[in-house]
Amino acid sequence: KKLLERLNNWLRIALARARSHKATLGDELDMLENYLEIMKIRFGDRLSWHIEASEAIRGKTFPPMLLQPLVENALRHGIEPKLGGGEIAIRAAIDASDLRIEIRDSGVGLSAPQNAGGAGLANIHARLAALFGPSGTLSLQGNDDGGMTATLRLPATRPRPAKKKGRRSREEAARATYPITIRTAPRRIVLRRPRMPSPRNPPRMGMK
């Protein structure tokens, strides 16, 4: 019953985020909370976590489903292979003009096999490049006391998209690309004198 309740909550938040045009970091963290509660049923006492983020940071605009693959990666490659399990710490803070989010686990660390994250991390890199260009970065680093930390950096304020200019007609585009000047030659007018009747060809008179 508890699992079904958590699944319902997770699906409700996920659907709301998919339909909303103004998703926030708080929505993403709420969805992660429900996801971790679901995983808690599976891992039991082997899994613990805590989330640190102020209310101001939770209100920041944030792309959907950007953090969950990182948490899944920490569970699969860090916590699950470790005999005694471990802890996941999620922290969000403003660093200068960047929003910095750290997902730290106390699992087996980078030395474990198959810890590259596969397509999940590749998709995150691609989304960051598409949304933020070079301002969005993701880095992975091993912890001194074991485990791994994934650090996500992106602008705290998303730039406004440039306004699209109206479409020009084909003729206007062609003129802009290949300017053409049409010159009209002056028209020549020829005046002809009327033909005068001659004695040999007198004008014809009479009824038709």
PDB file of all heavy atoms in Angstrom, residues 37-65:
ATOM      1  N   GLU A  37      11.707   7.531  -1.673  1.00  0.00           N
ATOM      2  CA  GLU A  37      10.821   6.779  -0.776  1.00  0.00           C
ATOM      3  C   GLU A  37      10.466   5.421  -1.385  1.00  0.00           C
ATOM      4  O   GLU A  37      10.357   4.415  -0.670  1.00  0.00           O
ATOM      5  CB  GLU A  37       9.549   7.588  -0.510  1.00  0.00           C
ATOM      6  CG  GLU A  37       9.741   8.790   0.399  1.00  0.00           C
ATOM      7  CD  GLU A  37       9.914   8.405   1.851  1.00  0.00           C
ATOM      8  OE1 GLU A  37       9.777   7.209   2.183  1.00  0.00           O
ATOM      9  OE2 GLU A  37      10.194   9.304   2.666  1.00  0.00           O
ATOM     10  N   ILE A  38      10.276   5.401  -2.692  1.00  0.00           N
ATOM     11  CA  ILE A  38      10.000   4.124  -3.378  1.00  0.00           C
ATOM     12  C   ILE A  38      11.212   3.197  -3.280  1.00  0.00           C
ATOM     13  O   ILE A  38      11.093   2.000  -2.988  1.00  0.00           O
ATOM     14  CB  ILE A  38       9.609   4.379  -4.843  1.00  0.00           C
ATOM     15  CG1 ILE A  38       8.281   5.147  -4.915  1.00  0.00           C
ATOM     16  CG2 ILE A  38       9.496   3.063  -5.612  1.00  0.00           C
ATOM     17  CD1 ILE A  38       7.929   5.618  -6.317  1.00  0.00           C
ATOM     18  N   MET A  39      12.416   3.752  -3.519  1.00  0.00           N
ATOM     19  CA  MET A  39      13.630   2.948  -3.422  1.00  0.00           C
ATOM     20  C   MET A  39      13.900   2.488  -1.992  1.00  0.00           C
ATOM     21  O   MET A  39      14.510   1.434  -1.772  1.00  0.00           O
ATOM     22  CB  MET A  39      14.823   3.754  -3.942  1.00  0.00           C
ATOM     23  CG  MET A  39      14.798   4.052  -5.433  1.00  0.00           C
ATOM     24  SD  MET A  39      14.882   2.552  -6.466  1.00  0.00           S
ATOM     25  CE  MET A  39      13.157   2.399  -6.972  1.00  0.00           C
ATOM     26  N   LYS A  40      13.421   3.265  -1.022  1.00  0.00           N
ATOM     27  CA  LYS A  40      13.605   2.898   0.379  1.00  0.00           C
ATOM     28  C   LYS A  40      12.887   1.587   0.698  1.00  0.00           C
ATOM     29  O   LYS A  40      13.383   0.775   1.507  1.00  0.00           O
ATOM     30  CB  LYS A  40      13.055   4.025   1.263  1.00  0.00           C
ATOM     31  CG  LYS A  40      13.115   3.766   2.758  1.00  0.00           C
ATOM     32  CD  LYS A  40      14.537   3.819   3.284  1.00  0.00           C
ATOM     33  CE  LYS A  40      14.546   3.740   4.796  1.00  0.00           C
ATOM     34  NZ  LYS A  40      15.929   3.758   5.359  1.00  0.00           N
ATOM     35  N   ILE A  41      11.746   1.355   0.064  1.00  0.00           N
ATOM     36  CA  ILE A  41      11.018   0.098   0.266  1.00  0.00           C
ATOM     37  C   ILE A  41      11.852  -1.074  -0.220  1.00  0.00           C
ATOM     38  O   ILE A  41      11.846  -2.164   0.361  1.00  0.00           O
ATOM     39  CB  ILE A  41       9.664   0.159  -0.456  1.00  0.00           C
ATOM     40  CG1 ILE A  41       8.813   1.294   0.117  1.00  0.00           C
ATOM     41  CG2 ILE A  41       8.917  -1.168  -0.358  1.00  0.00           C
ATOM     42  CD1 ILE A  41       7.524   1.525  -0.620  1.00  0.00           C
ATOM     43  N   ARG A  42      12.611  -0.862  -1.264  1.00  0.00           N
ATOM     44  CA  ARG A  42      13.452  -1.929  -1.814  1.00  0.00           C
ATOM     45  C   ARG A  42      14.748  -2.114  -1.027  1.00  0.00           C
ATOM     46  O   ARG A  42      15.126  -3.242  -0.697  1.00  0.00           O
ATOM     47  CB  ARG A  42      13.789  -1.607  -3.272  1.00  0.00           C
ATOM     48  CG  ARG A  42      14.778  -2.552  -3.900  1.00  0.00           C
ATOM     49  CD  ARG A  42      15.200  -2.075  -5.276  1.00  0.00           C
ATOM     50  NE  ARG A  42      16.315  -2.841  -5.788  1.00  0.00           N
ATOM     51  CZ  ARG A  42      17.005  -2.523  -6.891  1.00  0.00           C
ATOM     52  NH1 ARG A  42      16.669  -1.445  -7.577  1.00  0.00           N
ATOM     53  NH2 ARG A  42      18.008  -3.261  -7.282  1.00  0.00           N
ATOM     54  N   PHE A  43      15.429  -1.004  -0.682  1.00  0.00           N
ATOM     55  CA  PHE A  43      16.729  -1.092  -0.022  1.00  0.00           C
ATOM     56  C   PHE A  43      16.613  -1.244   1.483  1.00  0.00           C
ATOM     57  O   PHE A  43      17.546  -1.738   2.129  1.00  0.00           O
ATOM     58  CB  PHE A  43      17.564   0.159  -0.347  1.00  0.00           C
ATOM     59  CG  PHE A  43      18.161   0.160  -1.718  1.00  0.00           C
ATOM     60  CD1 PHE A  43      17.451   0.642  -2.800  1.00  0.00           C
ATOM     61  CD2 PHE A  43      19.440  -0.332  -1.936  1.00  0.00           C
ATOM     62  CE1 PHE A  43      18.002   0.662  -4.063  1.00  0.00           C
ATOM     63  CE2 PHE A  43      20.006  -0.320  -3.202  1.00  0.00           C
ATOM     64  CZ  PHE A  43      19.276   0.173  -4.276  1.00  0.00           C
ATOM     65  N   GLY A  44      15.524  -0.778   2.044  1.00  0.00           N
ATOM     66  CA  GLY A  44      15.373  -0.859   3.486  1.00  0.00           C
ATOM     67  C   GLY A  44      16.346   0.062   4.199  1.00  0.00           C
ATOM     68  O   GLY A  44      16.580   1.207   3.802  1.00  0.00           O
ATOM     69  N   ASP A  45      16.969  -0.474   5.275  1.00  0.00           N
ATOM     70  CA  ASP A  45      17.901   0.321   6.073  1.00  0.00           C
ATOM     71  C   ASP A  45      19.220   0.592   5.344  1.00  0.00           C
ATOM     72  O   ASP A  45      20.053   1.363   5.861  1.00  0.00           O
ATOM     73  CB  ASP A  45      18.202  -0.394   7.393  1.00  0.00           C
ATOM     74  CG  ASP A  45      16.961  -0.479   8.278  1.00  0.00           C
ATOM     75  OD1 ASP A  45      16.054   0.366   8.094  1.00  0.00           O
ATOM     76  OD2 ASP A  45      16.900  -1.394   9.137  1.00  0.00           O
ATOM     77  N   ARG A  46      19.415  -0.015   4.194  1.00  0.00           N
ATOM     78  CA  ARG A  46      20.656   0.204   3.449  1.00  0.00           C
ATOM     79  C   ARG A  46      20.673   1.553   2.739  1.00  0.00           C
ATOM     80  O   ARG A  46      21.709   1.945   2.196  1.00  0.00           O
ATOM     81  CB  ARG A  46      20.853  -0.906   2.418  1.00  0.00           C
ATOM     82  CG  ARG A  46      21.038  -2.289   3.034  1.00  0.00           C
ATOM     83  CD  ARG A  46      21.203  -3.353   1.962  1.00  0.00           C
ATOM     84  NE  ARG A  46      22.381  -3.096   1.148  1.00  0.00           N
ATOM     85  CZ  ARG A  46      22.365  -2.963  -0.173  1.00  0.00           C
ATOM     86  NH1 ARG A  46      21.219  -3.036  -0.844  1.00  0.00           N
ATOM     87  NH2 ARG A  46      23.486  -2.760  -0.840  1.00  0.00           N
ATOM     88  N   LEU A  47      19.563   2.274   2.737  1.00  0.00           N
ATOM     89  CA  LEU A  47      19.492   3.556   2.032  1.00  0.00           C
ATOM     90  C   LEU A  47      18.979   4.647   2.960  1.00  0.00           C
ATOM     91  O   LEU A  47      17.966   4.486   3.643  1.00  0.00           O
ATOM     92  CB  LEU A  47      18.557   3.452   0.823  1.00  0.00           C
ATOM     93  CG  LEU A  47      18.266   4.765   0.075  1.00  0.00           C
ATOM     94  CD1 LEU A  47      19.545   5.352  -0.514  1.00  0.00           C
ATOM     95  CD2 LEU A  47      17.217   4.546  -1.013  1.00  0.00           C
ATOM     96  N   SER A  48      19.702   5.756   2.985  1.00  0.00           N
ATOM     97  CA  SER A  48      19.252   6.969   3.675  1.00  0.00           C
ATOM     98  C   SER A  48      19.632   8.166   2.811  1.00  0.00           C
ATOM     99  O   SER A  48      20.516   8.078   1.960  1.00  0.00           O
ATOM    100  CB  SER A  48      19.891   7.084   5.066  1.00  0.00           C
ATOM    101  OG  SER A  48      21.307   7.159   4.955  1.00  0.00           O
ATOM    102  N   TRP A  49      18.961   9.293   3.040  1.00  0.00           N
ATOM    103  CA  TRP A  49      19.233  10.482   2.226  1.00  0.00           C
ATOM    104  C   TRP A  49      18.761  11.726   2.964  1.00  0.00           C
ATOM    105  O   TRP A  49      17.978  11.659   3.908  1.00  0.00           O
ATOM    106  CB  TRP A  49      18.528  10.383   0.871  1.00  0.00           C
ATOM    107  CG  TRP A  49      17.035  10.562   0.955  1.00  0.00           C
ATOM    108  CD1 TRP A  49      16.328  11.732   0.881  1.00  0.00           C
ATOM    109  CD2 TRP A  49      16.090   9.526   1.163  1.00  0.00           C
ATOM    110  NE1 TRP A  49      14.986  11.488   1.019  1.00  0.00           N
ATOM    111  CE2 TRP A  49      14.815  10.148   1.191  1.00  0.00           C
ATOM    112  CE3 TRP A  49      16.174   8.146   1.339  1.00  0.00           C
ATOM    113  CZ2 TRP A  49      13.645   9.409   1.388  1.00  0.00           C
ATOM    114  CZ3 TRP A  49      15.012   7.423   1.533  1.00  0.00           C
ATOM    115  CH2 TRP A  49      13.764   8.056   1.549  1.00  0.00           C
ATOM    116  N   HIS A  50      19.258  12.865   2.512  1.00  0.00           N
ATOM    117  CA  HIS A  50      18.730  14.144   2.965  1.00  0.00           C
ATOM    118  C   HIS A  50      18.918  15.180   1.855  1.00  0.00           C
ATOM    119  O   HIS A  50      19.833  15.075   1.026  1.00  0.00           O
ATOM    120  CB  HIS A  50      19.395  14.603   4.280  1.00  0.00           C
ATOM    121  CG  HIS A  50      20.842  14.948   4.144  1.00  0.00           C
ATOM    122  ND1 HIS A  50      21.857  14.014   4.245  1.00  0.00           N
ATOM    123  CD2 HIS A  50      21.460  16.142   3.922  1.00  0.00           C
ATOM    124  CE1 HIS A  50      23.017  14.598   4.098  1.00  0.00           C
ATOM    125  NE2 HIS A  50      22.814  15.890   3.893  1.00  0.00           N
ATOM    126  N   ILE A  51      18.030  16.173   1.829  1.00  0.00           N
ATOM    127  CA  ILE A  51      18.003  17.198   0.783  1.00  0.00           C
ATOM    128  C   ILE A  51      18.106  18.559   1.448  1.00  0.00           C
ATOM    129  O   ILE A  51      17.360  18.865   2.389  1.00  0.00           O
ATOM    130  CB  ILE A  51      16.712  17.107  -0.055  1.00  0.00           C
ATOM    131  CG1 ILE A  51      16.632  15.739  -0.746  1.00  0.00           C
ATOM    132  CG2 ILE A  51      16.664  18.228  -1.089  1.00  0.00           C
ATOM    133  CD1 ILE A  51      15.321  15.527  -1.509  1.00  0.00           C
ATOM    134  N   GLU A  52      19.062  19.387   0.976  1.00  0.00           N
ATOM    135  CA  GLU A  52      19.258  20.729   1.499  1.00  0.00           C
ATOM    136  C   GLU A  52      19.041  21.749   0.380  1.00  0.00           C
ATOM    137  O   GLU A  52      19.801  21.781  -0.598  1.00  0.00           O
ATOM    138  CB  GLU A  52      20.672  20.883   2.076  1.00  0.00           C
ATOM    139  CG  GLU A  52      20.970  19.973   3.263  1.00  0.00           C
ATOM    140  CD  GLU A  52      22.391  20.147   3.770  1.00  0.00           C
ATOM    141  OE1 GLU A  52      23.047  21.125   3.325  1.00  0.00           O
ATOM    142  OE2 GLU A  52      22.841  19.324   4.578  1.00  0.00           O
ATOM    143  N   ALA A  53      18.008  22.573   0.520  1.00  0.00           N
ATOM    144  CA  ALA A  53      17.722  23.628  -0.453  1.00  0.00           C
ATOM    145  C   ALA A  53      16.776  24.629   0.190  1.00  0.00           C
ATOM    146  O   ALA A  53      15.748  24.243   0.742  1.00  0.00           O
ATOM    147  CB  ALA A  53      17.098  23.052  -1.731  1.00  0.00           C
ATOM    148  N   SER A  54      17.127  25.894   0.125  1.00  0.00           N
ATOM    149  CA  SER A  54      16.282  26.933   0.714  1.00  0.00           C
ATOM    150  C   SER A  54      15.033  27.136  -0.137  1.00  0.00           C
ATOM    151  O   SER A  54      14.955  26.708  -1.298  1.00  0.00           O
ATOM    152  CB  SER A  54      17.065  28.247   0.820  1.00  0.00           C
ATOM    153  OG  SER A  54      17.370  28.745  -0.478  1.00  0.00           O
ATOM    154  N   GLU A  55      14.046  27.821   0.434  1.00  0.00           N
ATOM    155  CA  GLU A  55      12.805  28.074  -0.290  1.00  0.00           C
ATOM    156  C   GLU A  55      13.047  28.966  -1.503  1.00  0.00           C
ATOM    157  O   GLU A  55      12.407  28.812  -2.540  1.00  0.00           O
ATOM    158  CB  GLU A  55      11.776  28.722   0.647  1.00  0.00           C
ATOM    159  CG  GLU A  55      11.240  27.783   1.718  1.00  0.00           C
ATOM    160  CD  GLU A  55      10.523  26.592   1.104  1.00  0.00           C
ATOM    161  OE1 GLU A  55       9.840  26.763   0.076  1.00  0.00           O
ATOM    162  OE2 GLU A  55      10.638  25.485   1.660  1.00  0.00           O
ATOM    163  N   ALA A  56      13.978  29.917  -1.364  1.00  0.00           N
ATOM    164  CA  ALA A  56      14.283  30.802  -2.497  1.00  0.00           C
ATOM    165  C   ALA A  56      14.866  30.010  -3.665  1.00  0.00           C
ATOM    166  O   ALA A  56      14.521  30.250  -4.833  1.00  0.00           O
ATOM    167  CB  ALA A  56      15.242  31.903  -2.064  1.00  0.00           C
ATOM    168  N   ILE A  57      15.744  29.063  -3.351  1.00  0.00           N
ATOM    169  CA  ILE A  57      16.345  28.262  -4.417  1.00  0.00           C
ATOM    170  C   ILE A  57      15.326  27.296  -5.007  1.00  0.00           C
ATOM    171  O   ILE A  57      15.325  27.033  -6.206  1.00  0.00           O
ATOM    172  CB  ILE A  57      17.582  27.514  -3.878  1.00  0.00           C
ATOM    173  CG1 ILE A  57      18.676  28.519  -3.523  1.00  0.00           C
ATOM    174  CG2 ILE A  57      18.103  26.504  -4.894  1.00  0.00           C
ATOM    175  CD1 ILE A  57      19.916  27.895  -2.938  1.00  0.00           C
ATOM    176  N   ARG A  58      14.439  26.778  -4.180  1.00  0.00           N
ATOM    177  CA  ARG A  58      13.400  25.870  -4.683  1.00  0.00           C
ATOM    178  C   ARG A  58      12.483  26.554  -5.692  1.00  0.00           C
ATOM    179  O   ARG A  58      11.880  25.900  -6.539  1.00  0.00           O
ATOM    180  CB  ARG A  58      12.567  25.334  -3.518  1.00  0.00           C
ATOM    181  CG  ARG A  58      13.250  24.236  -2.717  1.00  0.00           C
ATOM    182  CD  ARG A  58      12.413  23.818  -1.523  1.00  0.00           C
ATOM    183  NE  ARG A  58      12.966  22.665  -0.851  1.00  0.00           N
ATOM    184  CZ  ARG A  58      12.637  21.400  -1.112  1.00  0.00           C
ATOM    185  NH1 ARG A  58      11.716  21.148  -2.034  1.00  0.00           N
ATOM    186  NH2 ARG A  58      13.184  20.402  -0.464  1.00  0.00           N
ATOM    187  N   GLY A  59      12.372  27.863  -5.619  1.00  0.00           N
ATOM    188  CA  GLY A  59      11.518  28.582  -6.553  1.00  0.00           C
ATOM    189  C   GLY A  59      12.172  28.887  -7.881  1.00  0.00           C
ATOM    190  O   GLY A  59      11.522  29.443  -8.784  1.00  0.00           O
ATOM    191  N   LYS A  60      13.448  28.529  -8.070  1.00  0.00           N
ATOM    192  CA  LYS A  60      14.146  28.783  -9.330  1.00  0.00           C
ATOM    193  C   LYS A  60      13.588  27.891 -10.440  1.00  0.00           C
ATOM    194  O   LYS A  60      13.272  26.722 -10.227  1.00  0.00           O
ATOM    195  CB  LYS A  60      15.646  28.519  -9.181  1.00  0.00           C
ATOM    196  CG  LYS A  60      16.366  29.464  -8.234  1.00  0.00           C
ATOM    197  CD  LYS A  60      16.472  30.854  -8.831  1.00  0.00           C
ATOM    198  CE  LYS A  60      17.272  31.782  -7.943  1.00  0.00           C
ATOM    199  NZ  LYS A  60      17.371  33.148  -8.510  1.00  0.00           N
ATOM    200  N   THR A  61      13.505  28.464 -11.643  1.00  0.00           N
ATOM    201  CA  THR A  61      13.094  27.681 -12.805  1.00  0.00           C
ATOM    202  C   THR A  61      14.138  26.602 -13.084  1.00  0.00           C
ATOM    203  O   THR A  61      15.346  26.873 -13.053  1.00  0.00           O
ATOM    204  CB  THR A  61      12.929  28.584 -14.027  1.00  0.00           C
ATOM    205  OG1 THR A  61      11.978  29.616 -13.721  1.00  0.00           O
ATOM    206  CG2 THR A  61      12.431  27.795 -15.225  1.00  0.00           C
ATOM    207  N   PHE A  62      13.651  25.381 -13.373  1.00  0.00           N
ATOM    208  CA  PHE A  62      14.577  24.258 -13.534  1.00  0.00           C
ATOM    209  C   PHE A  62      14.013  23.283 -14.554  1.00  0.00           C
ATOM    210  O   PHE A  62      12.815  22.971 -14.529  1.00  0.00           O
ATOM    211  CB  PHE A  62      14.788  23.555 -12.189  1.00  0.00           C
ATOM    212  CG  PHE A  62      15.970  22.634 -12.158  1.00  0.00           C
ATOM    213  CD1 PHE A  62      17.242  23.133 -11.977  1.00  0.00           C
ATOM    214  CD2 PHE A  62      15.801  21.270 -12.328  1.00  0.00           C
ATOM    215  CE1 PHE A  62      18.333  22.279 -11.947  1.00  0.00           C
ATOM    216  CE2 PHE A  62      16.877  20.419 -12.302  1.00  0.00           C
ATOM    217  CZ  PHE A  62      18.150  20.921 -12.111  1.00  0.00           C
ATOM    218  N   PRO A  63      14.853  22.783 -15.470  1.00  0.00           N
ATOM    219  CA  PRO A  63      14.374  21.824 -16.475  1.00  0.00           C
ATOM    220  C   PRO A  63      13.927  20.519 -15.819  1.00  0.00           C
ATOM    221  O   PRO A  63      14.574  20.046 -14.873  1.00  0.00           O
ATOM    222  CB  PRO A  63      15.596  21.596 -17.382  1.00  0.00           C
ATOM    223  CG  PRO A  63      16.486  22.751 -17.125  1.00  0.00           C
ATOM    224  CD  PRO A  63      16.255  23.157 -15.697  1.00  0.00           C
ATOM    225  N   PRO A  64      12.867  19.903 -16.291  1.00  0.00           N
ATOM    226  CA  PRO A  64      12.382  18.664 -15.676  1.00  0.00           C
ATOM    227  C   PRO A  64      13.290  17.469 -15.958  1.00  0.00           C
ATOM    228  O   PRO A  64      13.984  17.428 -16.975  1.00  0.00           O
ATOM    229  CB  PRO A  64      10.996  18.467 -16.315  1.00  0.00           C
ATOM    230  CG  PRO A  64      11.088  19.183 -17.622  1.00  0.00           C
ATOM    231  CD  PRO A  64      11.991  20.358 -17.392  1.00  0.00           C
ATOM    232  N   MET A  65      13.288  16.524 -15.031  1.00  0.00           N
ATOM    233  CA  MET A  65      13.983  15.238 -15.171  1.00  0.00           C
ATOM    234  C   MET A  65      15.474  15.391 -15.448  1.00  0.00           C
ATOM    235  O   MET A  65      16.066  14.635 -16.205  1.00  0.00           O
ATOM    236  CB  MET A  65      13.330  14.401 -16.277  1.00  0.00           C
ATOM    237  CG  MET A  65      11.882  14.057 -16.024  1.00  0.00           C
ATOM    238  SD  MET A  65      11.645  13.058 -14.537  1.00  0.00           S
ATOM    239  CE  MET A  65      12.455  11.533 -15.025  1.00  0.00           C
TER     240      MET A  65
END
